[in-house]
């Protein structure tokens, strides 16, 4: 790591990593409000997965992760934090009142070393609770790993050096990114590193680029930025597949319908690839395409996807220049610059850039996820536009879901 051997720290007690319940991605509150109002009785199971083949979590790391999650479960929202949320125009008072009472439950977690990578995490309970655990858990796992498995000071130094270079290239106009936001909380090197990046990006003006905000609500509040985020794959998976009476090939219709019931024309960026974008477009017809302000890309070829969306809007008689393509799949500034150049005259473009901003060091970042694997006792799955990005414990259910999608694509004209 960083040109030197790994230096594992056998035992260390770190400071509290998650210091506020606002320290999560904005879409958790966007989805959370709709879950509270429409699906409060849903139960879900979440499972952690490390996709890196060369990563191992020691017993000491696992113990520290447990301790940090216990500390997270002790947090409560402050009145100042609740007031901040209530001032977001689509957040309703009834949901704020619920959050005033809300507290994470450590009893919902199962954490052990019973996994190939040395770390197993599962969370089970109400969707209202377990949905909120994903982002803080991943942030904790990342920070514990990098602080206990390497020379953190050297990693942070390389992070600062790379951050200065990328900021310089945007400042000089070498990269023109249009509107971009920081989306890196779940994959960040540390809370310190993410805040440094957000602070540096927010205090400058750029030719051809505008730093809009961050998905981290805590940092958005601290630096007076826009908290960015609408829906994640869990929304389509649970709303569309958690009701046993639903045909899962219509997951997007159920999810879009419930979203519009909650928000109307507000907070409207639809995620397209939960069960493939082609299947999504079957349901994203004139009503939803009009009501939603744009769509988010998270898998598949971004150019093919973007052209497909522009063509879809045109086919519906909608002016693509009134809509936004939000790209968020494994971006760096160079990729965003090229996508912006290609699409900027066809449609509005925005970028949510994660790991490249929050964990770009001389070492490889962790590729870790925590996904919904069951809802109401039933398997759920994502069939994205990229092979390998899905996660489901039951291959029979994946086969069933693929068959449903195939039947719909062939017969639902």
């Amino acid at each position: 790591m960083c040109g030197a051997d790994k230096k594992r720290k056998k035992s260390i007690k770190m400071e509290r990593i998650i210091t506020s319940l606002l320290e999560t991605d904005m879409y958790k509150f966007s989805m959370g409000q709709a879950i509270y109002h429409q699906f409060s009785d849903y139960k879900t199971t979440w499972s952690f997965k490390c996709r890196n083949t060369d990563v191992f979590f020691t017993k000491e790391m696992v113990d520290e992760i447990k301790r940090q999650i216990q500390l997270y479960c002790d947090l409560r929202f402050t009145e100042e934090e609740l007031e901040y949320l209530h001032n977001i125009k689509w957040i309703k008072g009834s949901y704020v009142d619920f959050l005033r009472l809300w507290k994470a439950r450590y009893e919902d977690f199962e954490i052990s070393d019973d996994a190939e990578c040395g770390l197993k995490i599962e969370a089970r309970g109400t969707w209202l609770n377990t949905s909120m655990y994903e982002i803080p858990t991943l942030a904790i796992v990342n920070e514990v790993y990098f602080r206990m498995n390497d020379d953190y000071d050297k990693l942070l130094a390389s992070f600062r050096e790379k951050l200065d270079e990328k900021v310089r290239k945007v400042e000089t106009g070498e990269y023109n990114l249009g509107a971009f936001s920081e989306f890196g909380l779940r994959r960040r090197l540390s809370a310190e590193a993410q805040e440094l990046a957000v602070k540096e990006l927010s205090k400058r003006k750029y030719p051809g680029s505008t730093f809009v905000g961050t998905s981290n609500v805590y940092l958005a509040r601290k630096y007076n930025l826009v908290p960015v985020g609408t829906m994640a794959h869990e929304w389509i998976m649970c709303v569309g597949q958690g009701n046993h009476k639903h045909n899962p090939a219509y997951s997007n219709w159920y999810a879009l319908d419930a979203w519009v019931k909650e928000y109307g024309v507000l907070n409207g960026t639809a995620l397209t690839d939960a069960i493939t974008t082609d299947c999504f477009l079957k349901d994203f017809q004139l009503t939803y395409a009009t009501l939603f302000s744009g769509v988010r890309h998270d898998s598949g070829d971004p150019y093919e996807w973007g052209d497909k969306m522009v063509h879809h809007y045109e086919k519906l008689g909608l002016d693509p220049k009134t809509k936004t393509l939000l790209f968020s799949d494994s971006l760096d500034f160079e990729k965003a610059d090229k996508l912006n150049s290609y699409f900027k005259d066809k449609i509005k473009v925005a970028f949510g850039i994660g790991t490249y901003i929050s964990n770009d060091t001389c070492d490889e970042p962790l590729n870790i996820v925590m996904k919904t694997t069951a809802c109401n006792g039933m398997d759920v799955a994502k069939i994205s536009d990229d092979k390998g990005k899905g996660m489901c414990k039951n291959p029979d259910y994946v086969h069933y879901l693929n068959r449903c999608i195939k039947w719909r694509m062939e017969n639902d004209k």
Side-chain angles (χ1 to χ4, degrees):
M1 287 187 170
C2 295
D5 293 334
K6 294 181 181 180
K7 299 177 181 178
R8 287 184 174 166
K9 301 172 183 177
K10 293 296 181 184
S11 182
I12 183 175
K13 275 198 172 183
M14 297 163 50
E15 294 182 0
R16 182 193 291 269
I17 292 173
I18 303 298
T19 59
S20 164
L21 290 178
L22 289 185
E23 205 162 0
T24 190
D25 285 339
M26 181 62 212
Y27 65 20
K28 288 298 180 179
F29 295 114
S30 296
M31 292 184 293
Q33 176 170 280
I35 294 167
Y36 174 64
H37 287 142
Q38 299 181 56
F39 306 100
S40 60
D41 60 337
Y42 274 32
K43 305 275 195 305
T44 54
T45 299
W46 290 70
S47 303
F48 169 85
K49 182 177 182 179
C50 179
R51 293 170 175 159
N52 304 77
T53 58
D54 60 344
V55 164
F56 185 78
F57 294 87
T58 65
K59 181 182 182 302
E60 291 78 15
M61 292 177 190
V62 175
D63 288 343
E64 181 61 21
I65 288 166
K66 288 179 181 179
R67 192 180 75 87
Q68 288 291 339
I69 290 177
Q70 286 177 320
L71 291 172
Y72 159 71
C73 290
D74 289 337
L75 292 170
R76 300 293 287 268
F77 285 100
T78 68
E79 286 302 314
E80 292 77 16
E81 290 170 341
L82 293 170
E83 182 180 2
Y84 173 81
L85 288 173
H86 202 187
N87 285 331
I88 297 172
K89 62 183 177 181
W90 54 78
I91 297 294
K92 300 170 184 175
S94 57
Y95 180 54
V96 172
D97 283 342
F98 163 74
L99 292 177
R100 183 172 283 111
L101 304 173
W102 188 79
K103 184 176 183 293
R105 282 171 40 87
Y106 187 71
E107 296 81 2
D108 290 344
F109 287 89
E110 177 190 334
I111 308 170
S112 73
D113 58 4
D114 184 22
E116 188 175 345
C117 69
L119 176 62
K120 175 184 177 181
I121 304 176
E122 290 205 335
R124 296 180 182 87
T126 65
W127 191 15
L128 270 171
N129 278 359
T130 52
S131 175
M132 294 287 277
Y133 302 158
E134 176 197 1
I135 306 302
T137 297
L138 292 174
I140 285 168
V141 170
N142 265 293
E143 187 152 352
V144 168
Y145 179 82
F146 284 112
R147 284 191 183 272
M148 294 184 70
N149 198 40
D150 206 339
D151 186 340
Y152 172 76
D153 291 337
K154 187 178 287 186
L155 284 175
L156 185 63
S158 71
F159 176 85
R160 289 176 181 272
E161 183 179 344
K162 287 171 175 283
L163 176 65
D164 289 344
E165 178 66 12
K166 60 176 66 105
V167 169
R168 182 191 66 78
K169 289 183 177 181
V170 181
E171 216 170 10
T172 60
E174 182 175 339
Y175 292 143
N176 293 298
L177 310 178
F180 74 104
S181 302
E182 187 274 330
F183 273 24
L185 173 52
R186 74 182 64 205
R187 303 271 175 81
R188 70 189 185 185
L189 171 66
S190 64
E192 176 185 24
Q194 186 186 20
E195 181 164 355
L196 174 65
V198 168
K199 183 179 179 180
E200 289 300 309
L201 287 166
S202 64
K203 70 183 185 181
R204 292 174 168 83
K205 300 293 182 184
Y206 310 103
S209 304
T210 303
F211 182 62
V212 175
T214 172
S215 64
N216 184 329
V217 184
Y218 172 80
L219 291 180
R221 177 177 180 244
K222 184 171 182 177
Y223 290 99
N224 196 29
L225 299 167
V226 176
V228 183
T230 52
M231 68 176 70
H233 295 101
E234 67 176 279
W235 177 254
I236 298 99
M237 292 161 64
C238 292
V239 174
Q241 301 170 37
N243 185 327
H244 300 193
K245 296 178 181 178
H246 290 174
N247 180 333
Y250 293 81
S251 294
N252 288 300
W253 184 90
Y254 290 108
L256 295 171
D257 182 63
W259 199 263
V260 169
K261 285 178 181 175
E262 186 67 35
Y263 293 113
V265 298
L266 297 175
N267 203 19
T269 302
L271 183 56
T272 70
D273 70 330
I275 55 169
T276 75
T277 293
D278 287 339
C279 195
F280 169 84
L281 293 179
K282 289 282 189 181
D283 295 310
F284 199 62
Q285 295 302 312
L286 186 58
T287 298
Y288 293 133
T290 300
L291 291 173
F292 282 81
S293 59
V295 287
R296 178 159 75 93
H297 171 266
D298 198 53
S299 65
D301 185 285
Y303 294 94
E304 290 180 10
W305 175 86
D307 283 334
K308 184 180 292 186
M309 293 309 308
V310 170
H311 175 70
H312 185 72
Y313 282 124
E314 290 173 340
K315 187 174 69 172
L316 294 174
L318 299 173
D319 182 359
K321 292 184 179 179
T322 65
K323 301 296 179 179
T324 299
L325 302 183
L326 173 59
F327 294 92
S328 64
D329 181 31
S330 304
L331 292 174
D332 57 29
F333 284 0
E334 183 178 0
K335 291 178 185 176
D337 173 77
K338 290 178 179 177
L339 285 165
N340 184 53
S341 177
Y342 182 84
F343 284 109
K344 66 181 181 180
D345 295 326
K346 302 178 181 182
I347 192 168
K348 294 178 185 176
V349 183
F351 302 96
I353 304 175
T355 309
Y356 177 73
I357 292 179
S358 70
N359 198 354
D360 185 17
T361 72
C362 57
D363 193 10
E364 287 296 315
L366 294 183
N367 187 353
I368 57 175
V369 293
M370 195 166 175
K371 297 291 187 184
T372 326
T373 51
C375 183
N376 297 330
M378 182 174 178
D379 294 297
V380 294
K382 178 178 77 165
I383 309 293
S384 76
D385 295 330
D386 273 342
K387 290 182 179 179
K389 290 196 78 171
M391 184 172 169
C392 180
K393 292 185 175 182
N394 186 351
D396 289 338
Y397 180 74
V398 176
H399 179 62
Y400 163 71
L401 178 54
N402 274 311
R403 282 171 48 222
C404 290
I405 294 169
K406 183 175 184 292
W407 181 91
R408 187 179 181 196
M409 297 306 295
E410 293 175 352
N411 295 280
D412 186 6
K413 303 302 183 184

